[in-house]
Amino acid sequence: MTSIQRYTPDMAPQWDAFVARSRNATFLLSRPYMDYHADRFTDHSLVFRDDAGKILSLLPANADGDTILSHGGLTYGSLVLAPETSAVDVLAWMEQLKEYLRNNSFKQLVYKPVPHIYHKRPSDDDLYALFRVGATLNARNLASAIDLRQPLESSRLGKRAAKRMRRFAISVEPCHDPANFWQIIVDDRRERHNTTPVHTLEEIQLLARRCPDNIRCFVAKAQGEIVAGAVIFADNGVLHLQYAAANSTGKEIHAVDAIYHSLIFNLLPGFNYFDFGTSNERSGLYLNAGMVAHKEEFGARSVAYDTYTINL
């Protein structure tokens, strides 16, 4: 028998231990990361247990009226699966989840699976279970990722980046405090997209302290001055580009491309993928062709980030 409990803060050590041993969760689903914005979301995460109290699965989630999202403050947040979990288990849990949500007056579940490149082992069990319960695909964003496991030669754009690094004496190096370049990120978001970064500087600093193995910062320098910066989220063999931008000088010499080239070839070896992130607006209905083309010039190809809805 399986029971479903609502998560409470005293369960955090158990939660994080299960995330660490799972086959499809990243550090984004750990409590040190999830809880940084707990004041903005009504947490309704769920814990699946057997009759002996052992954790079988987790669902990071928040409530918004009569809708539950997995999770509204995260890029993804699906059922967290143990190495021994079977497809039959997940089918049963999805049905139990629907019943739990109906019994708690929810009318809709918005579910964002972890993209397959982040799986430690194949873990599309939930995609099949979603199909079986009649879930509707209502958003598909397209990310661009380089498969670093394949013999990788520098692309045409990568070769240009290497030449510019020599020509303009650009160096790329780790940076221990994002404050050293954060204003560049803020200005770039405002000028190019009329938006602000998802995280504040204080939040990125907090998260970097909480997750030092997973959040890494880099800067590009020319003539000793910082001209570009980037924030990388690293886990499960994937380097995810969270932020990258250059100031006016950095734009002229394409310093962000220098960061990409250095990360892909030199600074962070041993990873399986480099994920540039998505290039969409309006839940995937608009694709920024220029942005995709730039990523593809580095050798990246497409990975889907999906969102499903289950009406209860």
Side-chain angles (χ1 to χ4, degrees):
M1 296 294 292
T2 304
S3 64
I4 300 178
Q5 301 175 312
R6 186 171 177 180
Y7 169 82
T8 55
D10 61 292
M11 300 177 189
Q14 289 180 299
W15 178 287
D16 289 337
F18 192 86
V19 166
R21 70 177 289 262
S22 75
R23 56 182 163 99
N24 68 327
T26 71
F27 81 101
L28 268 67
L29 307 189
S30 68
R31 300 318 302 196
Y33 188 92
M34 286 182 62
D35 291 344
Y36 88 88
H37 51 21
D39 59 324
R40 283 184 252 160
F41 297 92
T42 302
D43 191 276
H44 202 109
S45 298
L46 300 174
V47 179
F48 295 67
R49 298 182 186 269
D50 66 13
D51 54 7
K54 177 184 176 182
I55 294 179
L56 301 173
S57 185
L58 308 169
L59 181 68
N62 71 285
D64 185 4
D66 59 9
T67 297
I68 191 162
L69 303 94
S70 72
H71 176 294
L74 301 174
T75 307
Y76 44 74
S78 62
L79 285 168
V80 179
L81 307 181
E84 65 272 14
T85 300
S86 75
V88 173
D89 292 332
V90 180
L91 274 175
W93 298 339
M94 193 67 77
E95 291 290 354
Q96 286 183 273
L97 175 60
K98 288 176 60 181
E99 181 179 3
Y100 169 91
L101 295 176
R102 282 194 294 262
N103 290 342
N104 284 272
S105 301
F106 290 105
K107 295 183 178 178
Q108 188 178 70
L109 167 64
V110 177
Y111 186 99
K112 297 183 288 186
V114 178
H116 72 89
I117 62 173
Y118 290 90
H119 296 172
K120 297 176 188 173
R121 302 180 185 178
S123 299
D124 285 344
D125 313 64
D126 59 341
L127 297 184
Y128 178 69
L130 289 167
F131 162 72
R132 285 286 296 271
V133 299
T136 301
L137 176 66
N138 65 354
R140 170 164 283 169
N141 290 292
L142 208 60
S144 302
I146 300 172
D147 186 345
L148 301 174
R149 299 167 299 179
Q150 303 296 324
L152 193 65
E153 295 182 3
S154 184
S155 64
R156 181 168 57 88
L157 188 56
K159 290 175 181 176
R160 287 209 305 266
K163 289 180 180 177
R164 291 186 183 113
M165 290 180 72
R166 292 191 295 269
R167 178 183 175 188
F168 297 107
I170 303 171
S171 62
V172 178
E173 59 193 56
C175 175
H176 299 294
D177 187 356
N180 291 329
F181 63 86
W182 194 253
Q183 193 60 45
I184 294 176
I185 303 291
V186 172
D187 292 344
D188 180 75
R189 287 297 176 102
R190 184 184 65 250
E191 293 166 6
R192 295 176 60 200
H193 306 292
N194 195 29
T195 62
T196 58
V198 173
H199 304 88
T200 65
L201 171 61
E202 291 73 23
E203 287 170 344
I204 282 290
Q205 290 173 321
L206 171 66
L207 290 169
R209 289 194 298 272
R210 289 183 177 181
C211 311
D213 294 332
N214 304 111
I215 299 177
R216 309 184 193 185
C217 300
F218 296 85
V219 292
K221 293 182 178 179
Q223 307 299 322
E225 298 294 325
I226 294 175
V227 294
V231 178
I232 299 293
F233 285 5
D235 205 10
N236 288 6
V238 183
L239 300 172
H240 172 75
L241 182 67
Q242 184 68 23
Y243 298 106
N247 61 19
S248 57
T249 300
K251 287 183 173 70
E252 290 177 5
I253 60 176
H254 300 273
V256 169
D257 286 353
I259 292 178
Y260 298 161
H261 183 77
S262 298
L263 291 175
I264 292 166
F265 286 98
N266 301 316
L267 295 177
L268 292 174
F271 284 82
N272 298 328
Y273 292 98
F274 185 92
D275 181 3
F276 282 99
T278 59
S279 305
N280 301 95
E281 297 174 20
R282 307 197 330 262
S283 299
L285 293 176
Y286 171 76
L287 179 67
N288 188 322
M291 186 180 294
V292 168
H294 187 73
K295 296 169 182 178
E296 289 178 344
E297 281 192 88
F298 274 99
R301 292 298 180 266
S302 300
V303 176
Y305 279 54
D306 289 345
T307 302
Y308 292 85
T309 298
I310 300 174
N311 292 316
L312 304 166

